[in-house]
Amino acid sequence: QVQLAESGGGWVQPGGSLTLRCATSGFSAFGSRWMYWIRQAPGKGLEWVSVINPDGEIIHYADSVQGRFTISRDNAKNTLYLQMKTLKPEDSALYFCAVPKKNGHATRPEYDYWGQGTQVTVSS
């Protein structure tokens, strides 16, 4: 059974940094799957934040986080990361890691698996 567990969220002041971690288990195919970070702010829909291909050489970011967030992965540890810098109040959301139904980046991706999420709150 595939399980994804996000951690690393919390409260931070604007301009601060956080690093999110997504530990996977029961997911022997981790090293061959594209992985997403997505987020959902209160009252809003899901927004994809970043996506990375299996070997980490193809990465995309949403315009809203380009230049501030860095996605990475450690296939030996079946773990996905999201380093977030220069955080803004509008980055406040529940952040999830997710496995897309199809490898590749889509404008409106659909997901096979996702975790429970980790809350990020940016405020002064």
Side-chain angles (χ1 to χ4, degrees):
Q1 181 179 358
V2 175
Q3 292 186 326
L4 308 177
E6 302 90 344
S7 62
W11 173 82
V12 64
Q13 292 186 331
S17 301
L18 286 172
T19 297
L20 306 184
R21 179 176 179 265
C22 170
T24 73
S25 59
F27 192 21
S28 59
F30 177 85
S32 65
R33 298 295 299 274
W34 290 56
M35 293 292 298
Y36 275 86
W37 282 103
I38 57 179
R39 67 186 181 186
Q40 186 168 29
K44 296 188 177 181
L46 286 174
E47 175 190 19
W48 76 268
V49 174
S50 184
V51 60
I52 187 169
N53 81 323
D55 64 11
E57 295 195 356
I58 300 175
I59 289 173
H60 297 283
Y61 296 100
D63 289 344
S64 57
V65 307
Q66 180 74 48
R68 300 187 297 119
F69 289 13
T70 302
I71 191 172
S72 62
R73 64 192 298 162
D74 185 337
N75 289 340
K77 296 181 179 179
N78 287 355
T79 302
L80 180 73
Y81 303 94
L82 185 68
Q83 185 179 33
M84 307 185 295
K85 296 181 178 180
T86 320
L87 283 161
K88 304 175 181 180
E90 51 264 44
D91 294 318
S92 296
L94 190 60
Y95 283 72
F96 303 86
C97 57
V99 183
K101 287 185 180 294
K102 296 181 179 180
N103 269 346
H105 175 44
T107 304
R108 301 182 68 178
E110 296 180 330
Y111 307 103
D112 275 332
Y113 309 105
W114 56 91
Q116 293 297 312
T118 185
Q119 180 68 42
V120 172
T121 302
V122 185
S123 72
S124 54

